[in-house]
Amino acid sequence: MDLAKTMSTPKTTQETASRTAQETQAAGAARTAPPGSRTRKIGELRRWPRSFADRLTAPMPGFAAVLRLAGEGGLRPGARGLRDVPRLPFAPGPLPVVDAATIAVTWAGHASWVLRVGGLTVLTDPVWSRRILGTPARLTPVGVRWEDLPPVDAVVISHNHYDHLDAPTLKRLPPATPVFAPAGLGRWFRRRGFTRVTELDWWEGAELAGVRFDFVPSHHWSRRTLTDTNRTLWGGWVLTDGSGGSVYFAGDTGYGHWFGEIGRRHPGIDVALLPIGAYAPRWWLSDVHTDPEEAVRAFEDLGARHLAPMHWATFALSAEPVMEPLERLRAAWEGTGRPRELLWDLPVGGSRVLEG
């Protein structure tokens, strides 16, 4: 693998033809869809409802709650909460060498992962920017240099919040990069020149080069401007290779009933990428962000094999001390009695390869 080859390298005609042949072959040998999941075509143009507010699993916070939060100063950690920033785990390394039979995960920071599944390189919620709208600069650098990424075969997006949908980062990708997005978000990508956008509803999937991308529910919401609240859907992704190996990327979510349902419909998840940060104060964030203990409960509900935490150590989005998510996660994990090696608490830039 040539790690020096960047994603901005234009695809040659031969590469494009080869990729088209791979997708055609994969489509001809499509995997069986999980129970209750529909299979859609790559790039299918679809009509969506004007709002997805009926999918909310908790009420949106009102103006009084916003005023209370501002009065409590609960938007960021205080000075004591930030003093451990130098302790945040940051240990970038080379991307693992993989083949089509290998699953590997590399944490670039926050909800951005470099996934290697079924021979594909997939980015989740890629945010390589130093700063996002309304938030202080990153606490840790990106764990994978952009120039060290192999060519990206696909991108999955969980929802449209700025810390998960970063326009400057996505602009670096070739416009023909396949994008898998929640229902209603395809127009945002097409307006920016992306030509291979697949929008999915919950419990729908599509296949790319032998890998299935299934969109699953989460406990969250969406908004990018003052006028588009819940106009697009939100959720997580289950990526499954040809032999049945799978990775679940939860995106942004609170704790609730969906985890058990995802586990029933996608039994045997190998790696669950679950958020553990941005949870304080709980009265404000419990409906939309799991805390560390809830992440462990979600992992158990899923019936997954490994837990890899995310959504912490990158941006200061809430009031908890910066090292607290990891400390509480490790304590909760120990309380389950599960083997320590099944918890993949990676540093930013760290990788793990799934062993058979």
Side-chain angles (χ1 to χ4, degrees):
M1 183 191 324
D2 183 4
L3 296 181
K5 188 174 183 180
T6 69
M7 291 189 306
S8 60
T9 303
K11 295 285 192 291
T12 65
T13 302
Q14 183 177 1
E15 287 174 317
T16 302
S18 176
R19 179 60 49 79
T20 301
Q22 287 179 337
E23 292 171 10
T24 301
Q25 181 180 8
R31 297 183 63 258
T32 302
S37 181
R38 296 184 62 192
T39 300
R40 310 296 306 206
K41 295 179 181 179
I42 294 287
E44 181 180 359
L45 293 177
R46 305 174 66 181
R47 291 179 177 269
W48 300 108
R50 184 172 176 80
S51 173
F52 292 94
D54 61 327
R55 307 291 184 92
L56 293 169
T57 48
M60 298 280 292
F63 185 64
V66 175
L67 289 179
R68 176 184 171 186
L69 182 69
E72 293 180 358
L75 291 172
R76 304 283 184 270
R80 293 184 63 184
L82 291 170
R83 67 186 178 187
D84 283 332
V85 167
R87 294 180 54 213
L88 291 173
F90 178 73
L95 294 176
V97 177
V98 300
D99 57 27
T102 303
I103 290 178
V105 301
T106 301
W107 189 33
H110 201 53
S112 302
W113 293 84
V114 183
L115 306 182
R116 324 292 286 286
V117 181
L120 300 184
T121 296
V122 181
L123 300 185
T124 70
D125 289 0
V127 179
W128 260 249
S129 297
R130 181 173 177 270
R131 186 186 296 272
I132 56 175
L133 184 67
T135 302
R138 302 176 79 103
L139 302 175
T140 51
V142 183
V144 182
R145 297 190 312 164
W146 189 261
E147 56 267 28
D148 289 340
L149 285 167
V152 172
D153 297 296
V155 171
V156 298
I157 300 295
S158 64
H159 66 301
N160 70 355
H161 287 160
Y162 281 86
D163 59 321
H164 294 259
L165 180 63
D166 184 52
T169 299
L170 292 164
K171 189 176 181 180
R172 300 184 184 191
L173 291 166
T177 303
V179 174
F180 293 86
L185 198 51
R187 179 181 297 180
W188 188 94
F189 283 94
R190 287 189 286 270
R191 284 176 174 173
R192 286 157 179 81
F194 286 89
T195 59
R196 304 175 70 194
V197 183
T198 303
E199 297 173 89
L200 296 176
D201 201 342
W202 290 349
W203 311 123
E204 292 184 341
E207 294 208 11
L208 177 70
V211 175
R212 185 174 174 90
F213 293 71
D214 279 287
F215 191 50
V216 296
S218 70
H219 300 273
H220 208 62
W221 60 292
S222 70
R223 178 191 290 159
R224 198 161 178 89
T225 71
L226 294 177
T227 61
D228 68 350
T229 302
N230 299 323
R231 295 275 182 91
T232 65
L233 197 51
W234 52 90
W237 294 91
V238 178
L239 276 61
T240 309
D241 66 18
S243 64
S246 60
V247 177
Y248 166 58
F249 168 65
D252 227 351
T253 182
Y255 179 76
H257 66 283
W258 286 130
F259 294 108
E261 183 65 19
I262 293 166
R264 284 189 289 273
R265 297 195 190 207
H266 295 271
I269 292 170
D270 288 297
V271 186
L273 312 176
L274 289 164
I276 66 167
Y279 53 78
R282 292 311 283 151
W283 68 264
W284 172 257
L285 291 169
S286 63
D287 292 330
V288 293
H289 288 163
T290 51
D291 65 22
E293 293 80 12
E294 289 171 335
V296 172
R297 288 172 60 192
F299 166 78
E300 293 179 322
D301 293 349
L302 290 162
R305 180 177 169 191
H306 298 88
L307 166 58
M310 62 174 181
H311 209 265
W312 79 284
T314 309
F315 297 108
L317 299 176
S318 56
E320 74 270 6
V322 295
M323 279 296 295
E324 184 180 277
L326 182 61
E327 293 164 354
R328 286 176 53 175
L329 175 73
R330 288 173 172 172
W333 184 268
E334 184 177 358
T336 69
R338 293 177 178 273
R340 181 63 177 81
E341 61 270 18
L342 300 183
L343 176 61
W344 289 1
D345 46 346
L346 299 175
V348 175
S351 301
R352 282 292 181 91
V353 177
L354 182 68
E355 298 178 358

